[in-house]
Amino acid sequence: MKYIQAEYSGPLNGTVHIPGAKNSSLAILAAACLADNIVTLEGIPHIDDVRLITEIGREIGLKLTQNAGQVIIDPRWIHSSVIDPGKASSYRASYYFVGALLSKFGKVTIGLPGGDDFVSRPMDQHIKVFQALGAQVRLYKDYYEVEAAELKGADIYFDTLTSGATMNAMMMAVLAKGRTQLHNAAVDPEVCDTARFLNQLGARIYGAGTDRIRIEGVPYLNGGIHTVIPDRLIAGAFLMAAGLNGGQVTVKDVIPEHLGSCLAKLEEIGLHVECGENSITAYGTGALKATRIRAGMYPSFATDLQQPMTALLLQAEGKSIVTDRVYPKRFAHVPQLRRLGAEIELRQESAFIRGGLPLRGGWVHATDVRAGICLLMAGFTAEGSTCITGVEHIERGYEDVIGSFRSIGAKLSMRELDAQEISSRIHMQG
């Protein structure tokens, strides 16, 4: 079993080049199935979720080749819309294959989505989209079927902000007959990126980036070339790392406007931030101030950043409060941080953090990608060694977590140990 060993690292200094956004890439790779010609994508990150979606694509006849940083996709040979339930249940974004394949095949069979388990991540808004556009949905124990003889445009009112269902709705609607209007649509940069990609192929999507999106159905989509936007969530975590022990970190190949709420909060707690055209530098200027964070949908502070932010707030003297109403159960990192000596109290959807206390190394487990980054960051400030299991979750979202953090001076390494020995060590610590 693999684990990452992190050591106290002192001030982190250096430059990190940010890869393409995972959440854009997963949607756009599936959306390429809608095209009737070759699609070339640039900026797709080399992460496990992308490898999995590539495997699924190949199994249904999608031809994918990688060449000099490009992913070249030929969807003209797709012969099946039955997605392996085991692979589909390994990551959440598998539901995009429904939006991408239904118009061509009339029926999609796919495993129930998996990925990070934050409890309140239902499929109800996706099902609402499928049904509104004329599809029947049948749910079974381990998979579901979506079937439609014809997709027709409709007015869809989302009950809650959801970027995944917004992107899925755009995919389904581009080849549906007539007009579709999405109300209370998500405004995330990844939604805009997916809309830009589809429009590049010949779709007619208007209003992406606002809460009302209009899609005029077209008979077919062409091929095209698209570059995925940078991953704002990875960029945010590296900027936070600058504040752990008073360092200086520059992230390159970013769009600063996508990180507005994160940068404002970093300055509020005592970091200094400078933005260039496609780069951001964060300076740890000394003592950090406690604060209150409320995670929300874009443009609010991202739920994906509340976990690494928690690691940073452990260094801020006083009481900080982190509230997450997007995924109120997204606090699996808290019991693990307590193993390192952190004082954090959970009350419903909030974590109350007593910062400024020394941390000590130990064995901890990452339950999702952002929790893993949080534990790594805590390890860089803890005395001794911090050993993090659940590496597979981190690798779902980071293409080279070891190399990236080493490039800014962090002390960490990938290790391997017998699973039974790891279990006994964690048990002894706990």
Side-chain angles (χ1 to χ4, degrees):
M1 183 182 291
K2 291 193 298 185
Y3 69 95
I4 296 175
Q5 183 169 311
E7 310 282 347
Y8 178 83
S9 299
L12 300 179
N13 297 283
T15 299
V16 180
H17 291 268
I18 302 302
K22 167 191 153 184
N23 291 338
S24 271
S25 298
L26 299 182
I28 288 171
L29 280 166
C33 295
L34 288 160
D36 288 327
N37 213 326
I38 292 172
V39 172
T40 301
L41 300 176
E42 298 180 347
I44 300 291
H46 300 287
I47 56 175
D48 282 353
D49 270 6
V50 167
R51 280 188 280 274
L52 195 54
I53 207 169
T54 299
E55 285 179 27
I56 289 174
R58 285 179 176 149
E59 286 180 1
I60 63 174
L62 190 68
K63 292 191 175 181
L64 296 102
T65 55
Q66 297 190 36
N67 181 30
Q70 294 181 328
V71 178
I72 301 166
I73 301 167
D74 189 344
R76 294 173 295 182
W77 305 96
I78 297 176
H79 55 73
S80 171
S81 60
V82 178
I83 309 297
D84 182 297
K87 287 188 172 67
S89 63
S90 297
Y91 79 112
R92 185 157 188 82
S94 59
Y95 46 51
Y96 291 133
F97 278 106
V98 178
L101 294 173
L102 191 59
S103 59
K104 285 189 175 181
F105 288 89
K107 182 178 178 180
V108 179
T109 302
I110 188 168
L112 291 167
D116 301 329
D117 180 13
F118 304 136
V119 181
S120 60
R121 300 184 72 167
M123 279 280 294
D124 63 318
Q125 297 303 295
H126 293 266
I127 292 172
K128 180 176 190 166
V129 167
F130 303 154
Q131 292 174 335
L133 293 173
Q136 288 186 317
V137 181
R138 290 182 287 273
L139 297 173
Y140 300 95
K141 182 181 178 183
D142 299 317
Y143 68 98
Y144 62 107
E145 292 177 345
V146 185
E147 187 170 4
E150 182 180 62
L151 295 176
K152 293 183 179 178
D155 280 355
I156 300 172
Y157 294 81
F158 290 112
D159 300 310
T160 184
L161 285 175
T162 161
S163 56
T166 299
M167 290 189 276
N168 221 349
M170 291 192 302
M171 291 182 211
M172 282 189 73
V174 292
L175 295 181
K177 286 190 175 178
R179 172 182 295 177
T180 299
Q181 294 194 99
L182 308 179
H183 302 266
N184 196 30
V187 299
D188 304 53
E190 294 79 11
V191 171
C192 299
D193 198 27
T194 303
R196 275 194 299 272
F197 167 68
L198 291 169
N199 284 343
Q200 178 81 11
L201 304 185
R204 296 172 63 195
I205 301 173
Y206 308 94
T210 73
D211 63 0
R212 183 177 171 184
I213 300 174
R214 187 177 94 252
I215 305 109
E216 303 286 350
V218 297
Y220 64 91
L221 295 180
N222 299 302
I225 300 173
H226 180 77
T227 300
V228 174
I229 60 170
D231 198 312
R232 60 190 170 98
L233 305 173
I234 290 178
F238 277 107
L239 292 172
M240 291 173 190
L244 291 174
N245 297 307
Q248 176 183 329
V249 174
T250 298
V251 292
K252 288 195 169 182
D253 307 322
V254 295
I255 301 173
E257 292 80 5
H258 291 174
L259 284 144
S261 57
C262 172
L263 302 183
K265 191 59 69 171
L266 291 180
E267 292 204 311
E268 182 182 307
I269 67 172
L271 277 74
H272 177 62
V273 175
E274 289 182 359
C275 294
E277 189 173 332
N278 61 356
S279 67
I280 307 170
T281 301
Y283 304 85
T285 57
L288 299 174
K289 304 168 191 170
T291 193
R292 181 166 188 156
I293 305 263
R294 292 182 184 85
M297 294 296 290
Y298 188 86
S300 297
F301 193 90
T303 176
D304 297 81
L305 289 175
Q306 62 94 341
Q307 292 151 295
M309 189 67 166
T310 296
L312 182 56
L313 291 176
L314 289 173
Q315 304 302 307
E317 288 197 19
K319 179 180 281 188
S320 294
I321 304 174
V322 176
T323 300
D324 193 336
R325 292 193 175 98
V326 181
Y327 302 126
K329 302 294 184 183
R330 197 177 196 172
F331 287 105
H333 55 297
V334 169
Q336 305 302 313
L337 289 171
R338 288 178 183 149
R339 287 175 170 268
L340 305 180
E343 287 194 19
I344 306 176
E345 180 185 350
L346 285 178
R347 296 184 214 157
Q348 296 181 327
E349 59 210 8
S350 297
F352 293 79
I353 303 161
R354 185 183 168 200
L357 302 176
L359 300 180
R360 59 184 181 277
W363 283 84
V364 290
H365 180 71
T367 54
D368 64 84
V369 57
R370 314 301 169 185
I373 297 304
C374 168
L375 297 173
L376 271 180
M377 290 170 61
F380 300 149
T381 67
E383 179 185 347
S385 298
T386 301
C387 300
I388 301 145
T389 59
V391 173
E392 67 277 6
H393 292 292
I394 300 174
E395 291 178 336
R396 283 186 51 226
Y398 280 69
E399 60 181 41
D400 181 15
V401 69
I402 301 295
S404 297
F405 276 102
R406 278 182 176 168
S407 72
I408 57 173
K411 297 177 182 176
L412 74 167
S413 57
M414 190 75 74
R415 303 291 182 92
E416 202 151 335
L417 199 64
D418 179 81
Q420 190 172 357
E421 188 175 350
I422 288 180
S423 178
S424 65
R425 291 193 184 192
I426 292 175
H427 180 73
M428 287 173 60
Q429 182 188 344

